[in-house]
Amino acid sequence: MSELDLNNKTSEMLANSEANVKNSKKNFTRPEDEKREVVAPDGSIIEVNPLYDYFSNEKPKEEKPRGGVVEKFLNWARAESIWVLGFGTGCGSIEIPPLVTPRFDMFRYGVQMRPTPRQSNAFIISGYLSVKTLKRVIRTYEQMPSPKYILALGSCTINGGMYYDSYSTINRLDKYIPVDVYIAGCMPRPEALLHGFVKLKQLIKEGKAEKANEYARNFDEYKANQKKIIKDWNMPDYNW
Amino acid sequence: MNIYAKLAYTILGFLIVLNWGFLMGATMRKIGARMAGRHGIPFKQPWINLFKSISTRTVITHGIMYYIGPVFRLTGGIGLFLFMPMVFTGSPDGPWTNFSFEGDLILIMYFNVFGMLGMALGAGEGGHPYAAMGITRGLAQHAAVELPLTLAFLSIAIQFDTFSIYKIVEAQQGGIMHWVLFTNPFAAAAIILAMLGALGHSPFNLVKAPNEILIGPATEYEGTYLGFMMSAGATLHVMEAVLFMNLVFGGATSWLELIVKSFLIYFWSVFVGMVFPRFKIEQSVTWFFKVPLLLGVLAVIIFMF
């Protein structure tokens, strides 16, 4: 294939993909992430789907605990080292910063903040959760390594709280992602959050905090609930 | 000394260094917490974090280079340890001199950069766009730190006419006034200032500070990879402190002396970090190119003539 032909072919493909973008009404993917054909340097034509460079569509697997003394020891380590993702989802996130101050000092319980989902194993859903944020929460939760725990802070995560009839927030959090510990109140004080951590540690040590496996087991049910409420679903079903 | 005995001493020495690195890190965080009026983390926290990281059930990999990145970093730490004389016992073939040899200073300078390069390769394959940005900033700062450090090392090498760390330590024995700190004050000053960057505490910790938006090379690493990186960090902190101790502060004649001296050297960087807020990369690079670099050049010029 000569260079001129290559150029013609490329510009034709670009025009086609632009036309596709214009024609399709409900398309939430960016034009550069569209599935398309590209010309390789040697002239061959290959099909690419850039969306799958970012995500994988494989379903989560249930990872059985090892059991025995080893699992007990590992659970102790997990309980004494809880790394919380620094992601405030609602008004309750204002209750998290006081935890690092001298008055509350969560570090003495082995609780730390981490900036990336890859390194954290606990996620605080702090207060009301708008549908727009729910999408980000799902993506982030799925990127966290298992075993992972969710603390739901405030009444809004239990029954919607004062936003029970809002058009843009969800009412029951555990329809969308599994929750380990609920901390009721509007807003719960930092002491209540610390108590939630202590409760979570107790659950982990007893081996009862296996909600990540529950999510994998009931994956289809959770996904159906999530898709019912998130209208602009532009990601694969599971984000590794 | 029998090679098997040497190997046993080396492995034992590494275990001491690794655990001392964890304990030292926890102590420094405790000191920071006490300064802020908090209780801070328990002393056992680094070990718990390590076990927890290893116990992670799902670990995502992005390819072979991504996997090798933390391994390279740990190799850098172990390499520093393997060729560094730890405790001065009066004989180059003594029990705690590891595998040090003539000219090990050059190899040690290489291992200092080795881990950083490994992380650059690994983070590059991680696919996170900010990781590449973070590692670029890390390498820029590291280059700025290495320049005054290398000049100071050269000055010390010219002063004692050797590239062997063991001989440099040997030449400093016999009293505090024999230390490079007093016999070559310009090189010592350059090292003491550049050391702040090498140990990577505030104000020069923008690269790995978790609360920066671009958290840099470590963004994608989790589970066992993170455990590797934590072990490597602990080893590197102790080994860099030991390197500066050997070159400037007269080495150590016992493990106790090594522990006290490395603690104080590491504490110097924590002490500065408590006082100064974090620098931006361009600020830290210009800072290293001003006073420490000039001191390094001066130290070399003095001993050249």
Side-chain angles (χ1 to χ4, degrees):
Chain A
M1 195 183 271
S2 75
E3 202 173 321
L4 197 65
D5 291 342
L6 207 74
N7 282 342
N8 287 342
K9 181 79 184 162
T10 317
S11 48
E12 191 185 304
M13 281 175 176
L14 273 176
N16 278 346
S17 69
E18 271 170 25
N20 281 343
V21 171
K22 273 179 194 161
N23 292 340
S24 56
K25 279 271 163 53
K26 264 203 163 182
N27 196 338
F28 295 103
T29 46
R30 295 177 299 176
E32 63 266 34
D33 290 342
E34 286 280 302
K35 189 177 172 186
R36 60 179 189 271
E37 287 177 332
V38 290
V39 184
D42 62 348
S44 59
I45 292 170
I46 42 178
E47 196 176 90
V48 293
N49 193 352
L51 210 55
Y52 286 89
D53 291 348
Y54 305 135
F55 315 105
S56 152
N57 227 0
E58 206 177 321
K59 280 187 179 183
K61 285 187 206 82
E62 213 182 320
E63 314 233 3
K64 288 263 183 283
R66 284 170 212 224
V69 187
V70 180
E71 186 68 21
K72 253 191 179 157
F73 172 71
L74 294 182
N75 273 341
W76 170 79
R78 283 170 192 142
E80 293 298 325
S81 162
I82 294 176
W83 291 359
V84 183
L85 180 65
F87 179 10
T89 58
C91 52
S93 51
I94 202 70
E95 304 293 328
I96 302 173
L99 291 181
V100 300
T101 60
R103 190 178 175 118
F104 302 107
D105 188 22
M106 64 179 180
F107 293 102
R108 65 200 152 127
Y109 298 108
V111 183
Q112 295 177 48
M113 303 297 286
R114 295 307 296 180
T116 151
R118 295 284 189 218
Q119 295 173 6
S120 38
N121 60 353
F123 196 169
I124 302 176
I125 307 295
S126 45
Y128 69 85
L129 194 57
S130 68
V131 177
K132 216 173 179 179
T133 318
L134 176 68
K135 194 170 150 192
R136 276 79 188 168
V137 165
I138 291 164
R139 261 191 84 175
T140 318
Y141 175 72
E142 288 174 352
Q143 283 179 5
M144 282 162 57
S146 163
K148 44 195 168 187
Y149 319 107
I150 289 213
L151 285 100
L153 184 69
S155 319
C156 301
T157 54
I158 301 170
N159 59 7
M162 62 187 284
Y163 299 102
Y164 72 99
D165 59 348
S166 165
Y167 69 98
S168 63
T169 63
I170 57 158
N171 284 358
R172 269 187 60 190
L173 180 62
D174 68 353
K175 272 166 76 180
Y176 308 101
I177 37 175
V179 179
D180 285 281
V181 176
Y182 282 108
I183 303 159
C186 183
M187 281 315 296
R189 282 189 49 80
E191 287 97 332
L193 193 49
L194 279 184
H195 182 71
F197 279 125
V198 173
K199 179 81 189 159
L200 178 66
K201 283 168 82 164
Q202 198 185 330
L203 285 177
I204 299 172
K205 280 179 188 165
E206 286 166 8
K208 288 178 185 165
E210 294 289 344
K211 293 283 169 142
N213 281 339
E214 192 185 307
Y215 187 72
R217 205 158 44 236
N218 306 323
F219 186 67
D220 295 331
E221 198 185 308
Y222 279 116
K223 230 10 89 166
N225 284 343
Q226 291 165 5
K227 283 188 175 172
K228 214 181 284 173
I229 193 150
I230 298 174
K231 300 292 179 222
D232 57 340
W233 189 274
N234 59 351
M235 49 189 188
D237 277 357
Y238 191 67
N239 307 288
W240 279 99
Chain B
M1 191 191 236
N2 185 347
I3 182 73
Y4 295 109
K6 193 144 191 133
L7 216 57
Y9 272 115
T10 308
I11 291 169
L12 187 63
F14 180 69
L15 287 180
I16 297 175
V17 164
L18 183 65
N19 286 300
W20 169 232
F22 280 140
L23 184 63
M24 191 162 77
T27 314
M28 295 303 171
R29 285 196 62 184
K30 198 95 177 160
I31 291 172
R34 285 302 161 115
M35 285 208 39
R38 293 185 283 111
H39 278 281
I41 58 168
F43 282 109
K44 57 181 190 281
Q45 193 68 47
W47 286 278
I48 301 177
N49 288 348
L50 181 68
F51 288 129
K52 183 217 111 159
S53 293
I54 292 171
S55 74
T56 309
R57 285 188 199 139
T58 46
V59 181
I60 308 295
T61 177
H62 293 272
I64 190 77
M65 228 32 245
Y66 175 83
Y67 174 74
I68 288 178
V71 178
F72 266 36
R73 189 151 172 75
L74 189 59
T75 311
I78 294 176
L80 269 180
F81 170 77
L82 276 185
F83 298 104
M84 180 91 71
M86 300 296 287
V87 178
F88 180 80
T89 47
S91 135
D93 204 24
W96 302 110
T97 49
N98 296 339
F99 294 94
S100 62
F101 60 98
E102 293 282 337
D104 52 359
L105 187 56
I106 294 173
L107 191 65
I108 293 274
M109 273 153 66
Y110 169 68
F111 271 123
N112 227 347
V113 204
F114 191 73
M116 197 62 140
L117 293 176
M119 282 308 296
L121 292 169
E125 196 167 87
H128 191 291
Y130 291 157
M133 222 183 279
I135 201 75
T136 314
R137 308 199 301 179
L139 286 173
Q141 183 176 301
H142 203 74
V145 174
E146 281 289 298
L147 209 53
L149 267 189
T150 311
L151 285 172
F153 289 176
L154 274 180
S155 165
I156 294 170
I158 300 169
Q159 181 191 356
F160 295 113
D161 203 16
T162 177
F163 268 115
S164 157
I165 297 178
Y166 181 83
K167 284 192 177 157
I168 293 173
V169 175
E170 199 176 26
Q172 295 179 68
Q173 298 304 310
I176 197 167
M177 290 314 284
H178 293 230
W179 291 5
V180 169
L181 185 64
F182 298 105
T183 56
N184 190 352
F186 287 106
I191 286 183
I192 287 172
L193 292 179
M195 177 161 99
L196 297 173
L199 289 171
H201 251 278
S202 170
F204 304 108
N205 63 346
L206 185 94
V207 181
K208 57 180 184 182
N211 42 357
E212 292 296 330
I213 303 168
L214 313 171
I215 84 150
T219 316
E220 283 286 308
Y221 283 101
E222 61 180 343
T224 323
Y225 303 120
L226 198 64
F228 259 79
M229 277 162 61
M230 286 193 290
S231 316
T235 317
L236 276 169
H237 277 152
V238 177
M239 287 324 296
E240 278 175 355
V242 169
L243 172 66
F244 302 135
M245 176 193 83
N246 279 341
L247 289 182
V248 181
F249 301 101
T253 49
S254 68
W255 274 103
L256 186 70
E257 195 182 342
L258 182 142
I259 283 173
V260 171
K261 277 185 179 172
S262 60
F263 182 86
L264 290 175
I265 290 169
Y266 190 56
F267 182 70
W268 154 244
S269 79
V270 176
F271 178 75
V272 173
M274 286 292 152
V275 183
F276 286 97
R278 198 169 289 142
F279 280 177
K280 287 193 277 183
I281 291 297
E282 60 265 34
Q283 287 171 327
S284 64
V285 167
T286 21
W287 190 83
F288 283 116
F289 280 164
K290 278 178 191 162
V291 180
L293 186 63
L294 275 179
L295 284 170
V297 172
L298 212 59
V300 171
I301 288 174
I302 286 172
F303 277 95
M304 260 171 72
F305 303 108

